[in-house]
Amino acid sequence: MPIDTFEITEDEINRLTVLPRAEDPVAFVIFGASGDLTHRKLIPGLYNLACANLLPKGFAVIGYAVTPMDDESFRAAMLDAVKNSNEAGPFRQDIWDDFAASLHYITADFSQSDGYNLLKKRLDEMMVDHHCAENRLFYLATLPSFYTEIVKNLMKHGLNTVTDNTAWSRIIIEKPFGHNLESAIALNKVIHQAFEEEQIYRIDHYLGKETVQNILAFRFANSIIEPIWNRRYVDHIQITAGETLGVEHRGNYYEEAGCLRDMFQNHLIQLMSLVAMDPPVRYGSQSVRDRKTDVLKAIMPINPENLAEVAVRGQYGMGYIESQQVAAYREEPDVSPTSHTETFAALKLTVDNWRWADVPFYLRSGKRMPKKLTQIAIQFKRVPHLFFHMGPKDQIEPNILTIRIQPNEGISIRFGAKAPGPEMHIRQVEMNFTYAETFGVTPATAYETLLLDSMSGDPTLFNRADAVELSWALLAPVIETWQATRQFTAFPNYSAGTWGPATADKLLAKDGRVWFNG
Ligand code: BG6
């Protein structure tokens, strides 16, 4: 949405003021500052925080990238980014002027000492010019292949440490965190040489979504939910993350990644751990993340021998999204015409613990689905005994509780009710909560929440090293087996605009279940 200058609305203020302000001054260093993420998410997110007066008093951004720019041209590029962003709030010239004055840029290579020496100098200047103290936040928004080099250089130039013992330094790392288990372990090792675990913020933007955080509120701030949240009452759980988008301009990245690495290793496994975890002792980074990690440890390892029983892969062919014809994956830019990369995956997982033994968790995600739909559906068991005189007009179905992550954020529960009339007939009805109707505000975007948390020093919503490694370990048998058998894929095997290959439906059908498509 292009944005013109107009007044900030009260809603907009409310939307953001639910977040607490970051107190400590900080210099925010963005590696890869000329890239897509900086334009689409980071600068619009920081600008929104500025609009809501949530940035600390002493604040500066130092962009660092190879694309030649100076402070002025960086500011001009970021102004465009904010004005063209869907996520930035209404444009306010006065706020922009202040914010823009805090933006700086260094043109440098990630491998050259000169760049880091210059960065050191600029950081010293920021302490005087913008009162940033010695606090530093490094954001790695580059291609992942540069992560190790940047961290090693920060260490080599002493930028990972601070001299003032009241100051801090932290590092935020974008996904993908590694390409497989071995590379994730190696990356953790390098980063741990430079930073302590509590200084490391591995970002998964799903964890910043309001509706994802609400999973914990819904489960643990209500006494009626927890008693039924287990194998005695739950039949199975479905987690869906479907998108209408294809790979857009990210063919190069996606060819290497595929759906499992792109969506499962991080977002879907995170959603699953929030749904399945036990209550933490307190809302704190250690407690919450310990309980999530327990889930990952309890997921039954996937046996590559019978992978076809529990895993499905797909790739879209040509099809229609909202009546518009769209190209097959193999015809997208930067994609091989014989690509075997999966754009859809579905998995059946089980959690081997007291709470969830024998309850299947079905996870699926795909590009070019008929609609954007991210949701968690919990299907409860059927009633044990039916004493109604059932007729063809009766609908007696299991209860389904749906947590809609996006769009139409909210929660609904389906249940049977007596249809009006002199006879006893049962109909399925729905109770529905939507964020927009109830709170009348749009929740803060995920990046705002996470940027603010990283400045405030709260890593609860970020991934810990052990969770990242466990999640790679869980998926390793699938990734490796699929890689080894890639030539046998009969791709494309679903049309754009459908819910994936027929085998995904069969995965549930053989257990007597069906996918819920919203
Ligand atoms: C990203 C993936 O992490 O998440 C993308 O790399 C995907 O491929 C995106 O489109 C989905 O995020 P959201 O917030 O739109 O569901």
Side-chain angles (χ1 to χ4, degrees):
M1 173 181 74
I3 294 164
D4 277 332
T5 310
F6 57 90
E7 284 300 304
I8 191 163
T9 63
E10 204 173 321
D11 270 359
E12 189 63 19
I13 295 168
N14 290 340
R15 177 169 86 85
L16 287 150
T17 45
V18 291
L19 299 170
R21 184 192 178 106
E23 294 295 341
D24 291 354
V26 61
F28 197 104
V29 180
I30 304 176
F31 288 98
S34 58
D36 188 55
L37 187 77
T38 307
H39 284 75
R40 281 192 308 112
K41 303 282 184 184
L42 304 185
I43 294 295
L46 290 171
Y47 165 76
N48 284 347
L49 292 174
C51 287
N53 200 19
L54 289 171
L55 288 178
K57 292 270 181 258
F59 177 80
V61 171
I62 304 180
Y64 185 125
V66 273
T67 309
M69 273 190 277
D70 58 13
D71 287 358
E72 279 318 312
S73 45
F74 181 56
R75 287 170 189 164
M78 294 305 107
L79 177 60
D80 279 351
V82 166
K83 286 191 166 175
N84 292 318
S85 162
N86 287 326
E87 301 203 356
F91 185 71
R92 284 191 55 181
Q93 191 66 49
D94 54 338
I95 292 193
W96 174 258
D97 291 344
D98 271 0
F99 179 69
S102 71
L103 302 180
H104 302 271
Y105 189 84
I106 295 174
T107 306
D109 192 290
F110 303 126
S111 62
Q112 309 269 303
S113 278
D114 293 358
Y116 296 89
N117 291 332
L118 187 55
L119 175 59
K120 201 168 186 175
K121 186 166 156 282
R122 298 296 298 261
L123 280 167
D124 288 342
E125 288 166 11
M126 295 303 127
M127 288 168 65
V128 179
D129 298 351
H130 292 287
H131 310 288
C132 293
E134 210 188 342
N135 302 327
R136 284 134 193 209
L137 193 46
F138 300 105
Y139 199 118
L140 304 196
T142 63
L143 286 177
S145 48
F146 292 115
Y147 290 175
T148 301
E149 188 163 37
I150 295 171
V151 172
K152 284 186 172 164
N153 269 306
L154 287 175
M155 196 163 46
K156 184 167 153 204
H157 295 86
L159 286 159
N160 56 325
T161 54
V162 285
T163 51
D164 172 355
N165 61 12
T166 61
W168 46 260
S169 72
R170 298 180 191 134
I171 186 162
I172 309 183
I173 300 149
E174 261 299 325
K175 68 170 271 272
F177 194 92
H179 190 69
N180 54 21
L181 178 59
E182 292 70 35
S183 55
I185 292 174
L187 184 55
N188 271 331
K189 209 163 158 191
V190 169
I191 301 172
H192 281 145
Q193 283 163 11
F195 297 92
E196 299 294 332
E197 180 60 32
E198 63 267 19
Q199 296 173 278
I200 307 170
Y201 290 66
R202 296 174 195 80
I203 207 161
D204 178 328
H205 78 278
Y206 265 57
L207 295 179
K209 289 180 192 278
E210 210 75 66
T211 40
V212 173
Q213 294 174 63
N214 190 44
I215 297 171
L216 291 190
F218 181 66
R219 288 190 54 198
F220 300 126
N222 297 294
S223 63
I224 61 167
I225 304 299
E226 228 5 56
I228 57 168
W229 209 260
N230 55 52
R231 65 189 303 276
R232 288 184 66 192
Y233 299 96
V234 173
D235 174 77
H236 77 277
I237 294 180
Q238 297 183 13
I239 303 179
T240 295
E243 303 180 83
T244 50
L245 293 179
V247 286
E248 312 301 292
H249 54 280
R250 298 161 76 221
N252 276 329
Y253 153 77
Y254 202 85
E255 275 285 86
E256 291 298 312
C259 182
L260 271 187
R261 289 187 173 91
D262 188 48
M263 293 295 291
F264 277 68
Q265 189 275 331
N266 33 66
H267 311 323
L268 267 75
I269 297 289
Q270 285 298 317
L271 291 181
M272 177 169 169
S273 61
L274 286 168
V275 170
M277 71 191 263
D278 280 338
V281 178
R282 61 182 60 83
Y283 190 73
S285 61
Q286 165 109 9
S287 209
V288 170
R289 298 193 297 177
D290 281 351
R291 296 292 76 79
K292 284 170 61 191
T293 303
D294 287 345
V295 175
L296 298 180
K297 288 180 184 158
I299 298 177
M300 291 272 278
I302 298 166
N303 179 358
E305 309 262 291
N306 63 357
L307 196 61
E309 298 293 306
V310 296
V312 169
R313 58 182 148 173
Q315 186 194 80
Y316 62 84
M318 187 279 279
Y320 293 85
I321 302 275
E322 289 170 1
S323 314
Q324 297 292 317
Q325 186 176 331
V326 294
Y329 175 69
R330 288 177 174 184
E331 275 141 37
E332 302 274 17
D334 301 319
V335 170
S336 155
T338 57
S339 172
H340 296 288
T341 301
E342 83 283 354
T343 60
F344 174 96
L347 286 186
K348 175 182 173 183
L349 298 174
T350 41
V351 181
D352 201 17
N353 64 13
W354 271 65
R355 189 190 280 266
W356 296 117
D358 303 324
V359 176
F361 284 71
Y362 301 100
L363 276 52
R364 73 174 161 165
S365 178
K367 299 269 184 207
R368 292 288 192 221
M369 305 271 99
K371 59 183 173 193
K372 172 102 179 152
L373 178 76
T374 307
Q375 68 173 25
I376 299 161
I378 293 114
Q379 177 170 322
F380 290 88
K381 292 191 168 163
R382 289 182 181 276
V383 291
H385 172 65
L386 270 179
F387 54 80
F388 302 108
H389 300 291
M390 296 268 293
K393 286 195 216 149
D394 289 294
Q395 302 168 330
I396 302 196
E397 302 288 342
N399 298 116
I400 298 170
L401 191 147
T402 308
I403 301 174
R404 295 187 304 274
I405 305 294
Q406 61 195 23
N408 192 17
E409 291 80 355
I411 297 178
S412 59
I413 176 144
R414 190 182 80 175
F415 58 98
K418 181 187 174 302
E423 290 173 307
M424 174 60 103
H425 288 299
I426 312 286
R427 291 278 181 285
Q428 291 299 306
V429 295
E430 201 173 70
M431 263 189 321
N432 194 14
F433 148 71
T434 63
Y435 258 82
E437 264 175 40
T438 305
F439 294 117
V441 291
T442 323
T445 69
Y447 270 88
E448 279 151 43
T449 307
L450 296 173
L451 292 172
L452 198 61
D453 281 1
S454 61
M455 287 187 265
S456 315
D458 180 359
T460 310
L461 300 178
F462 293 80
N463 277 329
R464 223 166 46 185
D466 52 353
V468 172
E469 291 176 14
L470 283 163
S471 138
W472 277 120
L474 172 73
L475 295 178
V478 192
I479 293 175
E480 284 160 17
T481 311
W482 280 1
Q483 173 66 29
T485 56
R486 60 199 333 236
Q487 69 275 25
F488 303 119
T489 53
F491 283 170
N493 60 353
Y494 71 98
S495 303
T498 66
W499 287 105
T503 38
D505 293 332
K506 288 191 192 135
L507 181 73
L508 266 69
K510 64 184 159 56
D511 295 344
R513 300 177 175 119
V514 289
W515 290 107
F516 305 123
N517 295 331

